[in-house]
Amino acid sequence: MFSPICRHQSGMMKYILVTGGVISGIGKGIIASSVGTILKSCGLHVTAIKIDPYINIDAGTFSPYEHGEVFVLDDGGEVDLDLGNYERFLDIRLTKDNNLTTGKIYQSVINKERRGDYLGKTVQVVPHITDAIQEWVVKQAKVPVEDDGVEPEVCVIELGGTVGDIESMPFIEAFRQFQFKVKRENFCNIHVSLIPQPSATGEQKTKPTQNTVRELRGLGLSPDLIMCRCATALENSVKEKISMFCHVEPEQVICVHDVSSIYKVPLLLEQQGVCGFLTRRLDMPMETRPRRMLTKWKEMSDRSDRLLEHCSIALVGKYTKFSDSYASVIKALEHSALAISHKLEVKNIDSANLELSTLQEEPVKYHEAWQKLCSADGILVPGGFGVRGTEGKIHAINWARKQKKPFLGVCLGMQLAVCEFARNTLGWADANSTEFDPDTKHPVVIDMPEHNPGQMGGTMRLGKRRTIFMTNNSVLRKLYGDVEYVDERHRHRFEVNPELKSHFEEKGLRFVGQDVEGERMEVIELDDHPYFVGVQYHPEFTSRPIKPSPPYLGLLLAAAGKLPGYLVKGCQLSPRGIQ
């Protein structure tokens, strides 16, 4: 194997810090993931850490409109969605400590102070907070993140926000010290900046980048690579100007222009010699064998450009105004669409617009929403919290069931599918979840907390849990490869009421997947329907570009009319996708 040789020759962990300037949301997460991907394709074991300077302990209590979706890890960690990018790009499994926040650091330091660990010293930002940051990074970088259990050799660290923010100052100072502690050949800094192109002149402007690099240098960090985010490819003259004013060689200025697919970004970096630069800069011996992993990425991105057939999925949710709210859901749909060689069109529908109250107040929005829903090839109702928009989701589920439209309900989507069936097939008009109607006479979804003592979120069922398939003739079981059980990630507090199970199964709504104890209903399937599936877990969190999530793949196959053929062939994906 290559890795032990590399570890022996270099001896030290290599750290790559990715910082950002000018604006937040510039694409640091994708760039950090892409850097990791090209290094992994060279045979190195790579891990990743995301630093969020906000004071929250984790992302668990955020509204999706704040920072996008909350990504859930195997260990139940509720983290920033960038960790989802790391897992998808690098095909690794991270833990909650791979997401470091100001809140976590201050909490650990204050706990130490209360225990008397500082021996009566005055506890200060420097050195105590900065030391705690460095210790956390060093410790977490060594934690294996792949199935082979090998200790990583490279750690990519993404610092959220922008350089110059008050809240990120302790982290910048920590890494200023850190670069000397671990030595220059084991630490490098990639700075991501924006090159605006005002429409009035069409000229690419370098001044914001010059300013952000000057500010970064003033804080004690010198960028080794400046990655320029721009709408179109960087002109040579602009590259030379940045090189001159930012004190780097032209080869250290990398253009990351807008591309049709994020899976092209690793290829874009590789073409500009990023891998070669990092190997020289960090003294990392590389394998000379062909980089098979990058070849797969190239095939994938080329295929995504050549897709001719279209498939549309209606995404019926309550946070549809902000695409990052359903980042993993959309990625899982994209992975599945690519696998079946179809171009995906996601029709975002605010579920509240499907309700009769909207017909009274804003009839145009109501009819537009229903037109989108009715014209879609498949319907997806994702997870969510709170009562707003739930009746609209139930209307969408009713339409999918009666019109035999392919349907996938995830988490709350599954619970509402059970409510809809209870109301319209079993005749329980007031059937509801006790989350929305505590006094309902037919509580088909009830509060079944897992007791994890703590603050808000302490009673949620979080992280990887096992689901056992109860029958052999389940469509989803076949899609998973005819396995007896699956391990998937959960994030919920409410469950389908197990006492009412028999009423549903008599009418054809089968609970084909349950937890190990048989108390929690995990998977529903409806008889005599092309694809009507609900899952209590979140399969999108484990979907990968080259290995799509089976529930989402089933939805896309059914929407494209290819599910029966796929099942007959034994659920095998051809190397070039399903033709």
Side-chain angles (χ1 to χ4, degrees):
M1 286 290 290
F2 168 72
S3 309
I5 299 170
C6 176
R7 172 66 78 192
H8 176 70
Q9 287 173 341
S10 62
M12 285 286 287
M13 172 73 68
K14 307 296 183 181
Y15 300 93
I16 299 171
L17 175 67
V18 179
T19 53
V22 187
I23 58 168
S24 60
I26 200 171
K28 294 188 298 296
I30 299 297
I31 286 171
S33 303
S34 300
V35 167
T37 301
I38 56 178
L39 292 175
K40 188 171 178 178
S41 76
C42 298
L44 291 162
H45 285 84
V46 182
T47 186
I49 293 173
K50 171 74 194 290
I51 295 174
D52 286 303
Y54 48 66
I55 295 170
N56 303 59
I57 300 293
D58 61 27
T61 54
F62 280 145
S63 155
Y65 284 132
E66 288 289 311
H67 295 271
E69 74 171 6
V70 177
F71 191 81
V72 179
L73 302 171
D74 279 351
D75 65 357
E78 296 174 285
V79 296
D80 186 87
L81 59 83
D82 274 322
L83 274 82
N85 285 323
Y86 305 156
E87 287 204 341
R88 283 187 286 268
F89 272 77
L90 299 167
D91 196 15
I92 54 178
R93 298 281 180 124
L94 299 171
T95 66
K96 60 176 178 281
D97 285 344
N98 286 82
N99 191 194
L100 178 53
T101 69
T102 296
K104 280 184 185 176
I105 283 293
Y106 273 81
Q107 188 180 54
S108 71
V109 169
I110 289 166
N111 288 344
K112 278 185 178 179
E113 187 271 331
R114 292 289 86 188
R115 286 198 307 266
D117 291 7
Y118 295 117
L119 304 174
K121 289 265 197 304
T122 304
V123 180
Q124 296 175 287
V125 173
V126 181
H128 301 102
I129 297 292
T130 52
D131 283 354
I133 292 165
Q134 294 170 64
E135 285 160 18
W136 191 299
V137 167
V138 169
K139 183 182 169 190
Q140 197 56 33
K142 293 176 183 170
V143 175
V145 290
E146 296 186 61
D147 295 336
D148 59 13
V150 174
E151 190 179 306
E153 296 148 331
V154 181
C155 179
V156 180
I157 306 153
E158 180 196 342
L159 177 57
T162 50
V163 168
D165 293 347
I166 290 173
E167 55 190 11
S168 65
M169 286 299 183
F171 295 100
I172 297 278
E173 172 57 22
F175 287 109
R176 185 194 67 76
Q177 298 169 19
F178 191 64
Q179 64 187 334
F180 301 114
K181 284 185 186 171
V182 297
K183 302 289 185 282
R184 177 180 156 76
E185 66 273 14
N186 298 315
F187 178 90
C188 81
N189 174 212
I190 295 174
H191 191 60
V192 185
S193 182
L194 178 71
I195 302 291
Q197 200 165 352
S199 54
T201 60
E203 188 185 354
Q204 293 178 329
K205 295 292 185 182
T206 65
K207 192 63 74 182
T209 298
Q210 293 176 42
N211 290 340
T212 184
V213 170
R214 187 185 305 117
E215 186 160 18
L216 186 63
R217 284 184 187 285
L219 296 168
L221 285 172
S222 293
D224 296 284
L225 287 172
I226 299 172
M227 298 219 175
C228 301
R229 286 285 292 111
C230 39
T232 54
L234 213 55
E235 293 161 20
N236 269 339
S237 59
V238 175
K239 202 171 186 175
E240 283 162 11
K241 193 173 180 184
I242 293 167
S243 162
M244 180 172 68
F245 284 107
C246 297
H247 199 63
V248 290
E249 295 281 346
E251 67 152 3
Q252 292 170 267
V253 180
I254 308 295
C255 164
V256 189
H257 57 78
D258 294 348
V259 284
S260 57
S261 161
I262 58 169
Y263 304 123
K264 291 188 172 177
V265 179
L267 305 168
L268 195 62
L269 301 187
E270 170 60 14
Q271 286 160 12
Q272 295 177 73
V274 169
C275 195
F277 175 84
L278 290 174
T279 54
R280 295 190 301 276
R281 171 68 181 75
L282 294 172
D283 189 24
M284 292 186 289
M286 290 292 181
E287 282 184 332
T288 52
R289 67 175 169 79
R291 295 176 182 147
R292 283 175 54 212
M293 188 173 163
L294 273 190
T295 309
K296 279 184 187 173
W297 286 85
K298 183 160 185 1
E299 283 172 5
M300 202 165 53
S301 65
D302 287 349
R303 238 184 47 233
S304 71
D305 284 345
R306 292 199 302 266
L307 300 177
L308 299 172
E309 292 184 275
H310 285 251
C311 186
S312 61
I313 300 293
L315 177 60
V316 184
K318 62 187 277 192
Y319 307 115
T320 49
K321 291 186 183 75
F322 185 41
S323 63
D324 273 356
S325 301
Y326 298 113
S328 291
V329 169
I330 291 166
K331 294 284 187 297
L333 289 170
E334 286 172 355
H335 300 162
S336 297
L338 191 57
I340 68 166
S341 298
H342 276 60
K343 203 168 193 69
L344 174 71
E345 182 193 354
V346 176
K347 297 186 174 192
N348 289 307
I349 301 171
D350 187 329
S351 55
N353 291 343
L354 298 170
E355 295 174 6
L356 288 171
S357 57
T358 306
L359 178 59
Q360 309 298 325
E361 295 160 16
E362 296 181 272
V364 174
K365 275 189 178 178
Y366 176 84
H367 290 296
E368 280 176 353
W370 273 101
Q371 195 277 328
K372 273 186 186 177
L373 185 77
C374 298
S375 61
D377 300 317
I379 295 168
L380 170 65
V381 178
F385 294 88
V387 70
R388 186 178 69 80
T390 51
E391 292 302 316
K393 291 175 184 177
I394 288 173
H395 292 321
I397 294 163
N398 179 260
W399 165 265
R401 184 174 61 79
K402 287 184 172 174
Q403 301 297 322
K404 296 201 181 309
K405 282 272 186 186
F407 165 78
L408 175 63
V410 174
C411 195
L412 178 63
M414 166 184 153
Q415 294 171 6
L416 293 178
V418 172
C419 292
E420 188 280 326
F421 193 85
R423 290 180 188 181
N424 300 310
T425 304
L426 301 182
W428 300 344
D430 76 329
N432 213 329
S433 165
T434 56
E435 181 181 2
F436 311 126
D437 181 4
D439 304 319
T440 175
K441 290 192 179 72
H442 294 97
V444 293
V445 177
I446 57 171
D447 189 4
M448 283 177 67
E450 271 194 358
H451 287 287
N452 307 308
Q455 292 82 25
M456 193 173 177
T459 54
M460 289 185 81
R461 194 161 190 247
L462 278 169
K464 189 166 77 170
R465 299 286 188 279
R466 182 157 291 182
T467 295
I468 313 284
F469 284 111
M470 313 306 290
T471 171
N472 289 329
N473 66 343
S474 150
V475 172
L476 202 56
R477 178 175 178 156
K478 288 172 187 166
L479 287 166
Y480 271 105
D482 203 26
V483 293
E484 291 181 7
Y485 62 84
V486 291
D487 294 318
E488 293 276 15
R489 298 172 181 179
H490 292 68
R491 185 180 184 241
H492 61 99
R493 195 177 281 113
F494 289 78
E495 304 272 358
V496 173
N497 190 341
E499 291 176 10
L500 303 176
K501 178 180 146 192
S502 57
H503 296 279
F504 292 96
E505 297 203 320
E506 281 167 16
K507 295 285 188 178
L509 187 72
R510 296 181 300 128
F511 295 94
V512 299
Q514 298 175 18
D515 76 338
V516 178
E517 288 82 26
E519 294 173 356
R520 298 168 189 266
M521 305 299 110
E522 294 279 357
V523 183
I524 59 166
E525 289 181 11
L526 182 64
D527 292 338
D528 303 320
H529 193 287
Y531 190 79
F532 191 96
V533 172
V535 290
Q536 183 58 73
Y537 49 80
H538 288 268
E540 63 270 18
F541 292 144
T542 49
S543 184
R544 301 286 182 265
I546 299 166
K547 192 184 174 194
S549 167
Y552 285 90
L553 182 63
L555 176 66
L556 265 292
L557 282 163
K562 296 185 175 183
L563 184 58
Y566 181 71
L567 294 172
V568 167
K569 288 176 186 169
C571 299
Q572 291 299 314
L573 273 172
S574 72
R576 299 189 180 280
I578 298 164
Q579 303 304 323

